[in-house]
Amino acid sequence: MKRLSVLIRTKNEERNIQRAIRSVQGLADEIVVLDSGSEDNTIKLAENMGAEVFFKEWEGYSQQINYGIELCQGEWIFLLDADEELTEELRDSIREAISTQEYKAYMVNRRTYYMGRFLSHAWQPEWRVRLFKKGHVRFEGVLHEKAIFSGKAGKLKGYLNHYSFKSLDHQYKKLVEYARLMAKAMKEEGRSFRLYKLLLNPLWDAFKVYFLKLGFLEGLRGISIAFSTFFYVFLKYLFLWEMELKEKYGDELWK
């Protein structure tokens, strides 16, 4: 049985996939790429670097992960997004964790590269369960998948570098899509639109990231992040309101 499998979900990631795979070469016993319909060179690049590539039609973030886990042959699994890479310290920490097996699941701190440098305060720390023993963790959730497991999770040393955005234009396009997905999830959960949430929640979330998380120490980057946070939260409630109006007015809502 293989010791460590790395699972990477992809779709049109030719810009990132080589960096991600390169960061786990020599650490992983197998690299499994689960693609959901790339139309660029992602698959070819991944195969050329020794990854096993599988296809599954996109059904959702958690569904893709859970399906991919079953494809992995390793005793341990590390989840890696295509726009991420492991630091050397994190690689060493993973080796130690697998060797000692103190926990069944481990969290890593992901830091985001934003406008020329890694953020030190805004969006920090961002702990996520990424390393776990197969059969002990499953994932749920529409957008921000949540790891479900019993017991405590350990914390790995080092960073998981995240190259999330290609530009401001790319950032805001992603935020619009994420806001739409969250609004849909809220609707399916039976949550109703409330005006006070539209007005207050975006301000509160922006305040938290800028002041409580010390985002102001990031300079203009912190202002940009605080505003994008406001934009995302405001928009998800606006989308929820639109969905409710759609039920009331149907095709008459937009002409």
Side-chain angles (χ1 to χ4, degrees), residues 97-111:
I98 292 176
S99 176
T100 60
Q101 301 195 41
E102 184 176 355
Y103 300 94
K104 296 292 194 301
Y106 290 85
M107 296 185 290
V108 302
N109 185 11
R110 186 171 74 167
R111 62 177 180 179

Side-chain angles (χ1 to χ4, degrees), residues 124-135:
Q124 275 293 295
E126 186 186 350
W127 291 102
R128 291 174 176 251
V129 173
R130 290 299 187 87
L131 176 68
F132 51 89
K133 206 164 187 178
K134 187 174 181 179

